[in-house]
Amino acid sequence: MENPDLQFTDFLDPSYQELVLGLAVKDQDFFARARPLILPKYFNSRVLAECCAALNLYWDTYHVLPSPAILPIAVSERTDEPTAREAWADKARTLYEICEDDLDREWIEPKLISFAIRAETARAVVEAAGNSKAFDIDVLNQELRRIQEIPARFGSIGTSLKNDWPTATDRDTRAVFATGLTGFDQAMRGGMKEGELVMFLGVQKGGKSLTLINVGRALMQMGHSVIHYSLEMYQLDVLKRYVASHSRRPTNQLHDHRMDIQKAMDELKQYTDADVIIKEYPGYQVTVDEIDAHLSLAEATYGRKFVPVVDYLSLIQSTLRTDETWKTLPEIAVRLRNMGRRHGVPIVTAHQSSVGGFNAKKLDATHQAGSKQIGANVEYEWSIDQDDDDYKCNRFQMTPFLSRHERKDRTTFWHADYACSYIEEVSETTYEALGKQNTDDDGSVTGHALPEKRAVGGRAA
């Protein structure tokens, strides 16, 4: 199927087209922002299309608007027809003669934006339909999302240092998504903020999923609804771990503690309306666009925002056409972060370390599996640090080794109740005590849990 020619006459009133170009040739700020929206093909009159083409070419070459003397010449040179040259030049001159009262930006700008959205949407859909053999829904979704963002891209030229500096002294008005985990939140300026990408780096079977589940639970308990996207674990297993973590009952023995769990869930409903939705997708078979679509569906269904917890980044399918997975990871990180900005929520995810991280005492940026450029796209990347002795002592450390906002070492200390899929932040003193109470007189680690803690279960996933 060949692409049919699009006719844009119905998208933009012909009587309005001269006003758009008239404002464009006179107002440099308007044209600088409208340049991507004023395209020759969107003008149904050939002479207006050529005026637009000449204006765009001059701007792209000299980065200024042409003078009333230059544009008519540039337009007339675009045709070899002697009768048309002067007529085209006259049309270019009339653009400068349009009455200023008719060039009302407050009226022209929204009309142009509305036109551009309709025209660009029609173009994208027609092109996708005309290329049915290689049709890619993710590419179309990405293009439609770009089109939806036209108003935001057009609406502001930016922030002025000289004029807008007082806003820097105001408190940040972005929503804060605190977990209630004191040290964890403090390392992120009081909690995660909307549009931030927060990632945990850990070795295989090193506590990534356990950490994500407990962060998701903590967010929910603080009143922030969560969608936990599981690309690795069976949906019911994730649900069991959430239930175990909240009720502090053994994950593999929940059937023996139904009454206790019922009481814990009843209490939960009394102090928060937030919830955790668990959605399972097969690994390497879901894209960021599909997660984005599901997130939008959940928001529309429940009428609230959801914080996505994605387990985990490395298992998301990329839209890039390459067999080298490591090249796709930075792109996935960028798109996750952009998704968070669109929805006004942070994105929480995890990433596996390279082989070199398996024997490292402390993980850092050099231990990221695949491309190290992933770290350039996160606000905070936390290392999950634990050696074999720490594991036997039911403890580990987490440090934000990458942070956009602070260079200070913010190591936090954690106790893990693996049997109940539960972790809690503890003081450094308590952390050290965990090691001492699990060490024999000869200095060897025994693996005994603290008396008030439950016995260790299987290694964290």
Side-chain angles (χ1 to χ4, degrees), residues 152-212:
R153 295 173 185 271
F154 187 92
S156 172
I157 198 169
T159 300
S160 165
L161 171 63
K162 291 183 177 180
N163 298 326
D164 300 323
W165 68 264
T167 60
T169 64
D170 297 336
R171 292 188 179 275
D172 194 335
T173 58
R174 286 182 300 167
V176 178
F177 295 77
T179 63
L181 303 167
T182 306
F184 183 71
D185 288 340
Q186 287 179 350
M188 298 183 292
R189 301 182 299 169
M192 296 173 279
K193 293 181 174 61
E194 57 183 82
E196 293 186 338
L197 178 60
V198 178
M199 186 163 66
F200 298 96
L201 179 68
V203 300
Q204 186 177 12
K205 302 298 181 184
K208 297 186 298 297
S209 294
L210 178 66
T211 300
L212 290 175

Side-chain angles (χ1 to χ4, degrees), residues 2 12 58 82 88 98 113 139 210 284 326 365 383 393 397 400 418 450:
E2 296 182 357
L12 188 61
Y58 194 90
W88 287 20
I98 297 176
I113 292 171
V139 174
L210 178 66
Y284 299 116
W326 68 271
S383 64
C393 293
Q397 298 181 20
Y418 295 113
L450 287 176

